[in-house]
Amino acid sequence: MKTGFRFSMSALHTWAGLLLSGLLFAIFWTGTLSVFDKEIDRWMMPQTRINMDTAPKLSVDRDIVPLLNSLSESATAWSIVLPSERKPFLGLGYDTKESHIAKRNSFHPVTLDQLPASNTRGASRFIYPFHHNLTLRKSNIGAWLVGIASIGMLCLLVSGIVIHRRLFTDFFSFRVWRSFSRGNLDAHNLTGVLLFPFTLVITLSGLMIAHLIYFPKAPDAVYEQMHPQSAAHTQKTPAKEITSLRQKIDNKSKTPKAREGAGNSPARRRFIGESQGRVTPKASGEFATITSIDPLITATEEELGRGAVYMVRVSNPADAEGVIALRLSSDKSVAQNMDNRRFSVATGADLDHFESSSVTNVFNFLAGMHYVQFDHWPLRWFYFIAGLGACVLIATGLLHWTQARNQKHDGTRFSISFMNVHNLSAVMGIIVATGAFLVANRLFNNSVHFAGVLVPDLEVYVFFSVWMCCVLHGVIRVLINKRSGYIKAWGEQCWAIAFIAISAVVLNWLTTGDHLIKTLFKDTYWPVATIDLLLISSAAIAIFAARKLSANLKLNIGR
Amino acid sequence: MVVKDSVITDLNNRVKHTMAVYKWLYSISMVLHSIVICLLCYISSSQLVNITGTVLFHLGMAWTDAVVVASMTGFIYLPVILMWAFSRGNTLLTWVKVICFTGITLVTAWLAGALV
């Protein structure tokens, strides 16, 4: 029996790959799509397709504050998300007398009319959450599964380098026309080596930004070390309060966590407040008229550059102790900007500004690098292509295992048949399901209900149902013919992708009137044009793959 | 001759059956082994995170910064420990090493007052 480090790493690479690659493909696929989440949102929410080129700049004092006053007189907090190129509408959040849960509505940036509700989750409320928690929010099960897969990915990457004997030679070998198995392995090696820095950093940063889920006790452990003096220095909290907080930590440490990243532990709440500047001021009960906000934004933008302020948050807008916080945009830097400027609601006087520490800025850099919110289109496309490359890396790794065994055993073993179906479902299933999600969105065309079910939920049901149908299709094909049924299934699902992608483009044209000639040349609107072009490209690739698979099947039958 | 053949077939079937049972038992035990090793590795890395945070805090770093740095290093500790744990073929040795390591991290965390 072979032993040694390389052999152990090879076993680790094989087993971790077989067990986690299906999940990893889903995470990387949805992560890649999330790079263009706002653009997919515009495609799925036609009422938000607003061209910002001609929109005049909004005045917070003249346009927004009266609007917020009319919407909710007794709000304890307002949030104003100013329109931007990728999110071309005004977002207002406010609470009401009836409910302290903030209402969030979108408004047209020119007419200030409330936009009709988008009866879809879109990419930002389905594809993106699927990427980081698989939409399994209860007790953070989804986030934990993603975390396990991500740690597995790190082990796969490092073990892949260890077991790769001819790293440099294989880097220049891509024998795609030689045979499928040769080309597949070359593609796996090439994407693995070429994208190693990207996959390593994106996986590591993805884990790090969710550190409060994966290492939930870290803030408590360090907080426990604080003496009353140091705690008082940190947040001017009396010693008695610290003792009671500690007791609360002990009492609450066993309660389930309702939200990601924000557990019930006071230590964690303080950690979030102190490291990210998220402090909610208390109201004094003394009435005050809100000061003019426009000069505050102008002064900040004069100092930091045009468009530096992306959000205004007003805590206690009619209170003398109220605070106006200007959150700074991350458009101009890779690092996520957590700094904010605070002013008094009553006087507009400068309050303490929050600035992240150097260490937190390292974290912000990693977070910003993962979230891709900066305004740099070439880099955004690089992320998208690299993300697709990572998907190819995972898919070719899976296919490599089954390819060798299919040739040897003709797919007659249960484990090989199982993996054939698994690969098909993991790779093709989610792509078909994503296409079906877009088609369903255009078919329901912003209706509220369909057959008594809310359309946003129905779109998600379509996604999962189509995915399950792909699994079933694979099972049936493999059961009918263990030897080559999987090839036929791959080919058929390629045709399904092509059909769905073309249908989505046509349905978008029919339901919104935004065809490609219009969005590209007549009334240029890049977000929609980009998604349409990507759909057409994926249809073309799927047709090419289907034809190749068909030829392969004929060869296989003739063998 | 016929009797001899049937005895051989019977024996062959028994061996195949025993082998299949052994294979399943082996697979299940390997899965359980991997799960427990991964859990132990996670426990040791989370204790290392707590210890790192505590040490950094006592070295003068702000408590929030200490938490951030410690948590970030945790994602280096965990894959390294996992790869170290799975780098040997010997199952017994792996258990001994991982249990000892987890024990050491737990004791150190307790001594540092970071066992929460």
Side-chain angles (χ1 to χ4, degrees), chain B residues 3-109:
Chain B
V3 174
K4 200 178 172 186
D5 276 356
S6 75
V7 168
I8 291 169
T9 314
D10 189 43
L11 201 68
N12 205 6
N13 284 343
R14 271 192 203 177
V15 169
K16 268 186 184 172
H17 180 73
T18 316
M19 285 293 284
V21 170
Y22 174 75
K23 214 174 169 182
W24 272 104
L25 279 175
Y26 177 77
S27 304
I28 292 166
S29 62
M30 281 314 286
V31 169
L32 284 174
H33 158 79
S34 308
I35 290 170
V36 177
I37 292 293
C38 288
L39 274 174
L40 287 171
C41 290
Y42 171 72
I43 292 168
S44 51
S45 64
S46 62
Q47 292 313 316
L48 281 176
V49 166
N50 293 353
I51 296 164
T52 310
T54 305
V55 168
L56 290 173
F57 174 71
H58 285 297
L59 286 174
M61 198 178 260
W63 84 282
T64 50
D65 289 352
V67 172
V68 171
V69 174
S71 300
M72 289 200 297
T73 50
F75 298 107
I76 311 286
Y77 294 145
L78 184 52
V80 169
I81 296 169
L82 276 170
M83 292 183 72
W84 168 73
F86 287 106
S87 65
R88 290 279 171 267
N90 190 326
T91 315
L92 186 69
L93 192 65
T94 307
W95 274 86
V96 171
K97 279 190 331 186
V98 174
I99 287 173
C100 285
F101 186 71
T102 311
I104 291 167
T105 55
L106 280 165
V107 169
T108 316

Side-chain angles (χ1 to χ4, degrees), chain A residues 29 427-428 431-432 487-502 533-550:
Chain A
W29 170 251
V427 178
M428 301 302 278
I431 301 174
V432 178
I487 303 177
K488 203 165 187 181
W490 273 84
E492 285 166 351
Q493 292 198 15
C494 277
W495 283 114
I497 291 171
F499 175 73
I500 286 172
I502 298 294
L533 284 172
L534 284 174
L535 283 166
I536 292 170
S537 313
S538 55
I541 294 167
I543 291 169
F544 175 76
R547 288 172 70 87
K548 275 272 172 198
L549 281 162
S550 173

Side-chain angles (χ1 to χ4, degrees), chain A residues 78-184:
Chain A
W78 292 339
S79 64
I80 304 162
V81 181
L82 298 166
S84 62
E85 187 196 354
R86 294 188 70 215
K87 224 176 165 185
F89 50 85
L90 174 69
L92 297 182
Y94 49 89
D95 57 354
T96 55
K97 258 184 187 173
E98 293 78 41
S99 170
H100 280 290
I101 299 167
K103 273 189 178 181
R104 289 179 201 285
N105 287 313
S106 308
F107 295 81
H108 196 281
V110 181
T111 62
L112 292 177
D113 292 332
Q114 189 170 331
L115 295 173
S118 299
N119 293 310
T120 177
R121 290 177 208 272
S124 52
R125 285 195 293 136
F126 177 64
I127 293 174
Y128 172 62
F130 189 95
H131 166 64
H132 65 85
N133 63 20
L134 310 174
T135 63
L136 300 170
R137 289 182 186 85
K138 192 163 171 61
S139 307
N140 287 331
I141 294 171
W144 273 100
L145 287 173
V146 171
I148 291 167
S150 304
I151 286 289
M153 184 71 181
L154 290 179
C155 293
L156 280 166
L157 286 168
V158 179
S159 59
I161 294 292
V162 173
I163 62 174
H164 206 136
R165 286 171 196 273
R166 299 177 305 155
L167 200 76
F168 193 73
T169 319
D170 284 351
F171 186 74
F172 295 99
S173 312
F174 187 39
R175 292 153 285 184
V176 72
W177 305 117
R178 221 157 131 185
S179 71
F180 177 75
S181 52
R182 186 68 259 172
N184 182 65

Side-chain angles (χ1 to χ4, degrees), chain A residues 2 25 133 142 248 274 319 356 363 381 517 520 531 554:
Chain A
K2 283 182 197 172
F25 188 89
N133 63 20
K248 277 183 193 168
E274 286 181 32
D319 193 274
S356 303
F363 174 81
W381 275 102
I517 296 168
L520 273 176
I531 301 302
K554 278 176 194 158

Side-chain angles (χ1 to χ4, degrees), chain A residues 12-302:
Chain A
L12 179 67
H13 194 79
T14 306
W15 281 104
L18 286 175
L19 292 171
L20 298 172
S21 287
L23 186 55
L24 280 169
F25 188 89
I27 296 164
F28 271 86
W29 170 251
T30 46
T32 304
L33 294 180
S34 297
V35 171
F36 289 122
D37 59 345
K38 306 276 191 301
E39 287 67 29
I40 299 174
D41 278 353
R42 299 293 77 74
W43 194 94
M44 294 181 80
M45 303 170 185
Q47 64 274 30
T48 63
R49 293 177 188 176
I50 300 161
N51 209 328
M52 281 298 290
D53 294 345
T54 50
K57 203 182 175 204
L58 285 171
S59 157
V60 175
D61 296 330
R62 189 192 62 223
D63 305 320
I64 302 169
V65 172
L67 185 63
L68 277 164
N69 274 325
S70 68
L71 290 166
S72 171
E73 284 178 2
S74 58
T76 54
W78 292 339
S79 64
I80 304 162
V81 181
L82 298 166
S84 62
E85 187 196 354
R86 294 188 70 215
K87 224 176 165 185
F89 50 85
L90 174 69
L92 297 182
Y94 49 89
D95 57 354
T96 55
K97 258 184 187 173
E98 293 78 41
S99 170
H100 280 290
I101 299 167
K103 273 189 178 181
R104 289 179 201 285
N105 287 313
S106 308
F107 295 81
H108 196 281
V110 181
T111 62
L112 292 177
D113 292 332
Q114 189 170 331
L115 295 173
S118 299
N119 293 310
T120 177
R121 290 177 208 272
S124 52
R125 285 195 293 136
F126 177 64
I127 293 174
Y128 172 62
F130 189 95
H131 166 64
H132 65 85
N133 63 20
L134 310 174
T135 63
L136 300 170
R137 289 182 186 85
K138 192 163 171 61
S139 307
N140 287 331
I141 294 171
W144 273 100
L145 287 173
V146 171
I148 291 167
S150 304
I151 286 289
M153 184 71 181
L154 290 179
C155 293
L156 280 166
L157 286 168
V158 179
S159 59
I161 294 292
V162 173
I163 62 174
H164 206 136
R165 286 171 196 273
R166 299 177 305 155
L167 200 76
F168 193 73
T169 319
D170 284 351
F171 186 74
F172 295 99
S173 312
F174 187 39
R175 292 153 285 184
V176 72
W177 305 117
R178 221 157 131 185
S179 71
F180 177 75
S181 52
R182 186 68 259 172
N184 182 65
L185 185 60
D186 282 349
H188 183 66
N189 291 336
L190 187 70
T191 47
V193 174
L194 197 65
L195 295 174
F196 181 77
F198 172 80
T199 38
L200 185 74
V201 169
I202 210 78
T203 311
L204 205 54
S205 59
L207 282 163
M208 283 174 178
I209 53 183
H211 68 96
L212 283 175
I213 297 174
Y214 304 129
F215 294 117
K217 295 286 178 191
D220 301 69
V222 184
Y223 187 74
E224 281 286 309
Q225 306 300 314
M226 284 205 289
H227 297 294
Q229 285 88 354
S230 64
H233 172 73
T234 318
Q235 213 186 36
K236 295 176 183 135
T237 311
K240 271 185 188 175
E241 203 178 310
I242 287 177
T243 318
S244 71
L245 282 176
R246 280 184 179 171
Q247 282 169 351
K248 277 183 193 168
I249 294 170
D250 293 341
N251 294 337
K252 289 189 176 178
S253 60
K254 284 172 190 167
T255 54
K257 310 297 177 280
R259 283 191 302 134
E260 278 184 17
N264 294 327
S265 148
R268 253 183 292 170
R269 276 207 297 273
R270 271 186 68 164
F271 169 75
I272 292 166
E274 286 181 32
S275 64
Q276 299 177 5
R278 301 280 184 264
V279 181
T280 312
K282 283 179 183 166
S284 66
E286 195 183 322
F287 178 78
T289 315
I290 190 163
T291 187
S292 179
I293 298 175
D294 281 336
L296 308 177
I297 296 177
T298 310
T300 308
E301 292 197 335
E302 268 173 17

